[in-house]
């Protein structure tokens, strides 16, 4: 037996168009239609826009799809024919235990919609284990104070000056039992669970303090920090960050991804302007990995464009990537931006990219992201001479 959650697509739009009471009538008529189908054992309203049904699983998901086709023709509401499209989330009763069958079917409905599948069976793996995510987050909060969460700094090499004059702060977490947790994973979890603001505040304060330590050691570098897309529309956070950095604003750069801007351009752009006028530089991170559009690029008052490492990594094996990088560099330059290439792992890649006019290189070939003490040691040793071949003058550190 399946428990199936049947939802009306674009429900908010329908509700706005015909009103609350007509929508209730629509749901009642849909429920009655479902009841008439011979495979449907029971129907019940699950929420205002979802009807729960029980059906025999003998015909599989195809059987559910046939039920949807059977009922999704226009419904007459006070003389008007209302077009409906339906989606279904299914759960096999008794197979999982974490959620009730109805909740599981509701989650399956959301999962299916995200995948644009009309009928979707609950995917336990995609759902993950919410309780383990929550415990991970409480571990993270303690990690912020016990040192298992820390920042690593990756040097950015200025190809024109032959010197490192900035670093990117990257979160690291050595979890006591899980081992190294990738920032992509836990930054994502922090965003989902409402922990991104405190985490980002910690990053900002730590990066500021570490930058001062580097400056005191003679390396007064520009500090780039990644700003979660969620926070780009959080004015309170940005006000806090500007106040926290104070005089150091001029020495900071915020790396933002284009997707953050595409989601809510108006709010994001207004906030970026605010950050800019405080003296903080803006960098567009991971360029090329999303649905970049030139018109958005032009609107963002960025000083730097970072070409995503996926292109750089396949530079030698894929000539269309090389073409894309070259034209992106030219485009960014014509918009007045400096271009950083990330993911530079070999001398050959560095040479190629320099030939294409890239301004700054970042990657394992120059240095991996390093804990504060190690990055200081790297600076003190001077940039190793193996890098010489790729640059005109002997590389050195700019102060
Ligand atoms: P990102 O900002 O694009 O950072 C660059 C990533 O490329 C880093 O991954 C870095 O370790 C990696 N990388 C650098 N050079 C090379 C190379 O030569 N080869 C290869 N294969 N990879 C290279 P990492 O440290 O795992 O960080 C992943 C992402 O997590 C970052 O991507 C960023 O989006 C996010 N992240 C890291 N720290 C923070 C943070 O403090 N706040 C926020 N919101 N996001 C962060
Ligand atoms: Mg970045
Ligand atoms: Mg990047």
């Amino acid at each position: 037996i399946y428990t199936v959650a049947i939802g009306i697509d674009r429900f908010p739009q329908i509700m706005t168009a015909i009103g609350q009471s007509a929508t209730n009538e629509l749901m009642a008529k849909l429920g009655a239609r479902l009841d008439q189908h011979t495979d449907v054992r029971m129907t019940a309203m699950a929420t205002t826009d979802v009807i729960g049904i029980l059906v025999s699983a003998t015909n599989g998901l195809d059987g559910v799809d046939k039920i949807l086709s059977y009922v999704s023709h226009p419904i007459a509401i006070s003389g008007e024919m209302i077009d409906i499209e339906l989606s279904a989330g299914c759960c096999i009763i008794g197979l999982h235990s974490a959620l009730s069958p109805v909740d599981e079917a509701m989650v399956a409905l959301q999962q299916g919609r995200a995948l644009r599948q009309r009928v979707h069976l609950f995917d336990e793996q995609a759902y993950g284990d919410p309780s383990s995510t929550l415990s991970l987050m409480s571990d993270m909060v303690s990690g912020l104070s016990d040192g298992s969460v820390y920042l690593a700094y990756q040097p950015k090499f200025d190809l024109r000056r032959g010197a490192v004059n900035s670093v990117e702060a990257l979160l690291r977490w050595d979890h006591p039992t899980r081992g190294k947790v990738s920032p992509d994973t836990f930054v994502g979890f922090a965003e989902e669970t409402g922990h991104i603001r405190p985490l980002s505040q910690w990053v900002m304060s730590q990066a500021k303090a570490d930058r001062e330590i580097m400056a005191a050691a003679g390396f007064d570098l520009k500090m780039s920090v990644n700003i979660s897309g969620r926070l780009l529309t959080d004015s309170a956070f940005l006000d806090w960050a500007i106040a926290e950095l104070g005089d150091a604003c001029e020495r900071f750069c915020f790396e933002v991804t284009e997707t953050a801007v595409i989601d809510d351009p108006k709010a994001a752009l207004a906030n970026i302007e605010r950050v800019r006028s405080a003296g903080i530089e803006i960098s567009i991170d991971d360029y090329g990995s999303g649905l970049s559009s030139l018109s958005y690029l032009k609107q963002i008052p960025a000083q730097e464009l970072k070409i995503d490492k996926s292109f750089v990594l396949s530079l030698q094996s894929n000539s269309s990537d090389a073409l894309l990088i070259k034209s992106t560099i030219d485009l960014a330059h014509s918009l007045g931006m400096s271009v950083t290439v990330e993911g530079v792992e070999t001398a050959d890649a560095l040479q190629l990219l320099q030939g294409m006019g890239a301004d700054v290189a970042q990657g394992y070939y120059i240095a991996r992201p390093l804990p504060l003490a190690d990055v200081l040691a790297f600076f003190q040793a001077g940039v190793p001479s193996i890098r010489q071949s790729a640059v005109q003058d002997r590389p050195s550190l700019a102060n």
Side-chain angles (χ1 to χ4, degrees):
I1 303 234
Y2 287 134
T3 300
V4 182
I6 296 180
I8 298 194
D9 297 342
R10 302 180 61 245
F11 186 82
Q13 285 87 337
I14 293 177
M15 176 105 122
T16 311
I18 67 176
Q20 171 82 55
S21 64
T23 311
N24 291 343
E25 193 184 332
L26 182 83
M27 292 302 282
K29 288 194 168 162
L30 177 62
R33 237 182 231 181
L34 282 163
D35 260 335
Q36 284 163 18
H37 196 285
T38 47
D39 288 351
V40 175
R41 306 264 181 95
M42 201 188 110
T43 62
M45 289 292 289
T47 65
T48 42
D49 60 339
V50 175
I51 296 174
I53 62 173
L54 290 180
V55 288
S56 138
T58 41
N59 295 325
L61 296 181
D62 268 357
V64 176
D65 196 65
K66 291 215 174 77
I67 297 174
L68 292 192
S69 301
Y70 174 80
V71 297
S72 51
H73 47 91
I75 295 181
I77 303 289
S78 39
E80 293 285 332
M81 296 307 279
I82 309 294
D83 245 339
I84 52 163
E85 276 183 47
L86 304 173
S87 299
C90 309
C91 141
I92 300 172
I93 296 180
L95 204 60
H96 312 287
S97 51
L99 294 174
S100 75
V102 175
D103 286 343
E104 211 173 281
M106 296 288 286
V107 171
L109 178 62
Q110 298 311 322
Q111 289 177 332
R113 280 179 167 158
L115 298 167
R116 296 182 196 289
Q117 278 179 5
R118 185 155 91 139
V119 176
H120 185 78
L121 186 64
F122 179 68
D123 181 345
E124 192 172 26
Q125 217 167 352
Y127 183 61
D129 179 355
S131 65
S132 103
T133 304
L134 287 178
S135 84
L136 193 68
M137 285 300 106
S138 76
D139 289 356
M140 188 193 76
V141 172
S142 33
L144 292 178
S145 45
D146 72 17
S148 60
V149 175
Y150 61 95
L151 289 177
Y153 298 97
Q154 187 173 35
K156 292 168 76 172
F157 187 76
D158 185 324
L159 292 163
R160 298 188 189 286
R161 300 172 56 186
V164 171
N165 42 26
S166 57
V167 288
E168 177 176 7
L170 292 160
L171 269 168
R172 290 291 175 267
W173 186 10
D174 296 341
H175 189 280
T177 55
R178 295 172 194 241
K180 291 187 192 305
V181 186
S182 139
D184 274 326
T185 307
F186 73 91
V187 167
F189 281 156
E191 286 175 338
E192 302 303 328
T193 56
H195 287 82
I196 192 66
R197 209 206 270 195
L199 177 64
S200 306
Q201 290 184 325
W202 179 87
V203 168
M204 201 66 69
S205 305
Q206 192 66 42
K208 184 190 179 200
D210 289 349
R211 206 200 74 82
E212 278 160 17
I213 293 173
M214 292 178 205
F219 311 107
D220 186 0
L221 306 170
K222 189 146 241 178
M223 174 69 72
S224 292
V225 287
N226 293 284
I227 301 293
S228 154
R230 298 275 166 115
L231 292 174
L232 219 49
T233 46
D234 182 344
S235 319
F237 168 77
L238 294 171
D239 286 341
W240 175 90
I242 291 167
E244 169 74 5
L245 295 181
D247 292 344
C249 279
E250 306 271 343
R251 305 300 290 146
F252 269 76
C253 172
F254 285 2
E255 295 191 2
V256 305
T257 57
E258 38 168 6
T259 45
V261 177
I262 291 167
D263 285 347
D264 187 353
K266 232 176 131 199
L269 288 171
N271 282 329
I272 289 175
E273 289 291 352
R274 192 193 320 218
V275 166
R276 259 315 284 148
S277 39
I280 298 166
E281 282 190 3
I282 299 294
S283 167
I284 300 170
D285 205 352
D286 301 339
Y287 180 80
S289 65
L291 309 151
S292 342
S293 106
L294 178 56
S295 60
Y296 280 112
L297 261 194
K298 278 204 280 203
Q299 289 178 64
I300 305 173
Q303 286 67 55
E304 178 188 62
L305 186 76
K306 293 185 85 169
I307 298 181
D308 194 62
K309 58 176 178 291
S310 57
F311 296 100
V312 177
L313 290 170
S314 60
L315 182 63
Q316 274 134 321
S317 56
N318 187 331
S319 58
S320 68
D321 281 353
L323 212 71
L324 189 126
I325 293 176
K326 175 73 178 99
S327 56
T328 303
I329 291 173
D330 294 343
L331 169 71
H333 284 165
S334 71
L335 293 170
M337 286 186 272
S338 145
V339 177
T340 296
V341 282
E342 52 177 39
V344 178
E345 293 189 350
T346 62
D348 287 350
L350 186 66
Q351 208 138 26
L352 261 167
L353 292 158
Q354 192 175 30
M356 291 179 182
D359 305 284
V360 177
Q362 183 180 349
Y364 297 167
Y365 181 64
I366 293 134
R368 289 185 176 257
L370 300 166
L372 179 64
D374 297 357
V375 84
L376 278 173
F378 173 86
F379 293 149
Q380 265 141 9
V383 179
S385 54
I386 45 163
R387 263 51 113 188
Q388 265 189 81
S389 57
V391 290
Q392 297 282 300
D393 310 311
R394 194 192 142 66
S396 63
L397 271 174
N399 282 317

